[in-house]
Structures are given as structure tokens and as C-alpha cells.
Amino acid sequence: MLGTMATVLSATVVNVALHDIMLEFGIRQGQVHWLATGFIAAMTTTMLASSWLLDHFGVRKTLATAMFLFTVISLLGGFATSPEQLIAARIGQGAMAGLMQPMGMYLVFRIFPRNRRGQAMGIYGMGVILAPALGPVLGGFLVDQLDWRYVMFAPVPVTLTGVFMAWRFLPLPVSRPAPYRFDFPGLVLLGAAIGLSLDTLNRLQELAGQEARIAIEGAVAVIALVLFVIRERRARHPLVNIELLRNPAFVYANVGAMALGLALFGSTYLVPLFVQTALEFTATEAGLLMLPAGIVLGMTFPLAGRLADRLSARKLVIFGIVLFAMSAMLFAVSDIELAFGWLALWTVLGRIGIGFMLPALSTGALNPLAPEQLGAGSSTINFTRQLGGAFGVNIVALTIEFGDHSGGIPTIGAFHSAWWLVAVFVAMAAIPVWKMRV
């Protein structure tokens, strides 16, 4: 749980610092969003390596090493002297976070029986959700009272504690499967496909003079994706277990997980930037706006987890989708004069929706799998959620950049367009989720 809290804290705490980072380095929103997108993209790519690492080194060595490296990279990022160094540190953080995050879900589904997994995921999620609840508040305080650099240092106490606890409490594996080769070519192809496609989307923000490069990058990304699929179908030990995709419920749950990632990371990126840029909130006010939503989300998780053990997963996920889509639409029609309390209420509504989606998607995806498939299954559904988040943040940033600007700063109309886009994308996920039949 500490490892996952650190990753979520790092993914969210930087969002309230984006405005100050733009001012210090003299960069636009089109470049600064890589602090969020680069983190999530790296996290998405390395996440699929967690299954191989679990099989070869066990959860204790893998988690402790990843958290230690995460700590070192966070400290280096805090002392960055250029936006390129800061982005590189965020990518490094994301790479380690991708190894850390699937471990919690993997342990829950290995330790707890089928009829208690939803409850366990609810409790696990309640602890994890403290990070996005407190992250923006902590980030706002650090930015206003100290300096934006302290948001890079914020996860360090958590990860150092996690390193100690991993070595103290997590067991060494009793037995391990026979050694097998890591699918490094698959990882390179996947990383190339994700990185190039995200860079292609980013370059669309300044299209003039870059048409040829954008077309070539987009084509290479598609080729890399095709080669990755071919590789995974032929490899003896693929990065993505294709057999899992023969289970319809698992496939539909992964589509829902992509929508969840877009909702969670897209809105977490959008809310602070929206209220600081369009409504002129301070970083502290932006963080406080997110606090009630995080607390309510923490309260929602145990209830949603218990319901996931008893009720249809698809009904709970669709209920969450409806609530989040309503929240996004309310933000899309908000004006400058809207009171702080109403904005906090819209955020709370969206977080309740996310709270109902996560435990139900996890149980709906992993319950039909055999015990030996849980490592690959948990890394895959975490991967699809993060992939939705990576593209969600990038598409949101692209929408804002193409929107109306005044003095180089996006207007409220640009943010309204982004909110409508998020609402439509998440609502469309209700169609495949309804086909889960679990």
C-alpha cells in the first residue's frame, strides 16, 4: 500500500505546481504537461515487466529495489535546473512506479479468498486514496509556502518507509517457476509505440512546419504497435499474456479500466490547472478544492468493495460512469462566478463515481482467472488503466492548447471543451462494460 501511495502521490502532487513550473522555466502548457504524461507513459510501459520480476525475484526484492530507486530519482528531480532534467526525472519516477503499483493488487488477490477480495480491495483502495486526497493539498502548501521543488521531495519519506517495511515484513518466495527469458523486444516495441504516439499528439499542438515529422512519427508508432502484437502472439513468454484476452469479461473490464484511467488522471490533471488558470485560484486553494473529494473517495471505497463481492460488477461500474460523466458535464458548464463550494461538490461527485468503478473493475477482471494467471492479469489491468490515463492527459492537454487563449494563457472556454471531451469518452465506456456479464 505504501508503494502504491507513493506512486499516486507523485502522479498527483505535481499538478498544483505546473503553473509555477511554467513561470519559472518560461514554458507553455504544451510542454509542461509532459511532467504528467511522461510519468504515466513510463509507468504504463514498465508495468508489464512486474510479472516477470515477481517470478524471478519475488515481491520483496522487486518492491524494495523499485522504491529505493524511486527515492533517489525523486531527490535528483528536486534539484533539476532545466525543464528537460525535470521531465527526465519524472519519466524515471514513472518507470519505477510502474514496477511498484501492480504489487498491491497482486498480493490482495493471492492472499484473500474470492468472496473477500472486493472488501480487501476496498480497504486497500481507501488507504491508497489518501495520496490523491492529500497530495494536492500538500502540493499547494509546499508551492505557496516553500517552492515547487519540494513536491518532488514529498514522496521520499513514504518510499523510504516502504523500503524498510518491505525488507522487514514481506516474505521471500517459497518456490519460483522455472527461469524464462524476459520479453525485452516486446518491451522496446511497446515503449516505442506509446512514446511515439504521445509525442505525435503533443506535436499536433504546434502543427505548422511539422506535418512531415508528425506523419512519420505516427506511422512508426503504428508499425511498432503491429510488430508488438505479432511478437506477443509468437513469443514463448510474452509481455502480455494473449490467453487472457480470450476471456470476454477480462477484455471488457480492461476497456472499462482505460476509461477509469482517463477519468482519474485526466480530471486530476484538469481540475487544478482549470481553477488556477481560468479562475485564478492559488495553489493552496486548488489543493483544498481536491481535499473533500479525496476524503469522500476514501469513504466510498470500503462500501464499493463490499458491494463488489455481492452485486454485479458491471452495474457498479456503470453507476460510477454515470456519476463521473455528470461531474465532468457540470464542470463544462461552470463559469467564473461559480462559488468554491459548488466546484468542490462537482469534484466530490466525480470521485464517488471513480470509487464505485475501481473495486468492481478489479474483481470483474481478475475473479474469472486461475491463480497462476493473477500476476499477469493484475499487471495487464493496471497497464490498461495507466494507458487510458496517459492518453487521457495528453488528449486533454491537446484540447486545451487548441482552445482559445488570452495572453498565452488558456481561457475558460478551452477548459470547457476539455471537460466535455472527458465526459463523452468516459460515457462511451458504458457500452463495453455492460457486456462484462459479471
Side-chain angles (χ1 to χ4, degrees):
M1 188 182 291
L2 280 175
T4 310
M5 284 178 69
T7 66
V8 180
L9 178 66
S10 297
T12 57
V13 73
V14 77
N15 290 322
V16 294
L18 296 179
H19 185 69
D20 282 52
I21 293 170
M22 289 166 66
L23 294 177
E24 174 159 338
F25 290 118
I27 55 178
R28 285 181 59 129
Q29 189 269 152
Q31 185 177 359
V32 79
H33 85 87
W34 275 106
L35 296 176
T37 306
F39 180 96
I40 302 171
M43 188 177 183
T44 304
T45 304
T46 60
M47 196 166 275
L48 292 173
S50 62
S51 179
W52 183 87
L53 291 168
L54 280 170
D55 287 342
H56 284 74
F57 301 104
V59 67
R60 184 168 81 167
K61 287 184 179 179
T62 302
L63 190 56
T65 303
M67 283 197 284
F68 177 75
L69 292 175
F70 186 95
T71 303
V72 173
I73 294 168
S74 298
L75 291 172
L76 292 174
F79 294 106
T81 56
S82 70
E84 290 77 18
Q85 290 178 12
L86 186 57
I87 291 170
R90 289 288 292 169
I91 291 172
Q93 279 186 324
M96 292 303 104
L99 302 179
M100 291 155 58
Q101 196 172 84
M103 302 294 171
M105 189 183 296
Y106 166 79
L107 284 171
V108 165
F109 279 79
R110 284 302 301 265
I111 293 170
F112 290 91
R114 184 183 296 262
N115 64 338
R116 295 191 63 196
R117 288 172 178 172
Q119 181 183 0
M121 277 299 298
I123 296 170
Y124 167 74
M126 180 177 64
V128 169
I129 220 62
L130 287 173
L134 301 177
V137 181
L138 175 63
F141 173 81
L142 293 174
V143 170
D144 282 343
Q145 304 301 322
L146 298 170
D147 187 81
W148 66 262
R149 295 179 182 277
Y150 285 85
V151 304
M152 295 295 292
F153 303 142
V156 169
V158 180
T159 47
L160 284 178
T161 305
V163 171
F164 167 76
M165 293 183 70
W167 282 106
R168 174 67 181 84
F169 295 110
L170 290 181
L172 286 168
V174 177
S175 62
R176 293 175 181 162
Y180 58 92
R181 183 175 295 179
F182 178 62
D183 185 16
F184 187 73
L187 184 70
V188 171
L189 289 170
L190 179 65
I194 293 174
L196 288 171
S197 58
L198 290 175
D199 192 54
T200 300
L201 284 173
N202 183 52
R203 290 183 183 280
L204 287 173
Q205 299 180 39
E206 297 178 7
L207 185 59
Q210 296 197 89
E211 292 88 346
R213 178 167 182 168
I214 289 171
I216 293 170
E217 270 198 358
V220 174
V222 172
I223 292 169
L225 180 60
V226 172
L227 291 175
F228 172 73
V229 173
I230 294 171
R231 165 75 188 178
E232 298 309 283
R233 290 176 65 89
R234 296 179 178 177
R236 289 187 62 188
H237 300 285
L239 201 63
V240 176
N241 188 346
I242 302 296
E243 291 297 315
L244 297 179
L245 303 181
R246 299 177 189 269
N247 187 315
F250 184 78
V251 173
Y252 294 137
N254 275 270
V255 175
M258 289 191 72
L260 173 62
L262 190 151
L264 178 60
F265 289 98
S267 63
T268 305
Y269 173 82
L270 194 49
V271 170
L273 198 62
F274 170 56
V275 296
Q276 285 180 270
T277 304
L279 307 183
E280 298 182 349
F281 281 29
T282 65
T284 302
E285 288 172 334
L288 289 173
L289 181 69
M290 304 290 288
L291 179 61
I295 294 171
V296 171
L297 182 53
M299 296 166 61
T300 303
F301 258 81
L303 171 63
R306 285 181 175 272
L307 291 175
D309 287 330
R310 302 174 185 177
L311 301 179
S312 164
R314 63 174 180 168
K315 290 180 181 177
L316 292 174
V317 175
I318 287 177
F319 177 70
I321 286 174
V322 170
L323 288 182
F324 183 85
M326 286 176 57
S327 167
M329 287 188 288
L330 288 167
F331 269 110
V333 297
S334 301
D335 58 27
I336 294 175
E337 288 77 25
L338 196 65
F340 182 94
W342 287 111
L343 293 171
L345 180 60
W346 304 163
T347 311
V348 165
L349 186 64
R351 288 302 186 262
I352 294 175
I354 290 172
F356 274 92
M357 291 167 68
L358 182 56
L361 279 171
S362 300
T363 56
L366 300 183
N367 272 347
L369 303 183
E372 63 272 13
Q373 294 177 315
L374 290 177
S378 63
S379 63
T380 301
I381 194 164
N382 275 282
F383 165 77
T384 53
R385 185 175 72 241
Q386 297 302 133
L387 189 66
F391 280 95
V393 170
N394 210 295
I395 292 170
V396 163
L398 185 64
T399 306
I400 294 171
E401 195 67 16
F402 273 132
D404 294 332
H405 282 60
S406 177
I409 302 296
T411 65
I412 193 169
F415 287 100
H416 284 168
S417 299
W419 279 116
W420 279 117
L421 186 77
V422 170
V424 170
F425 268 90
V426 173
M428 287 174 62
I431 299 171
V433 166
W434 185 251
K435 297 179 181 180
M436 282 172 56
R437 304 294 180 191
V438 291

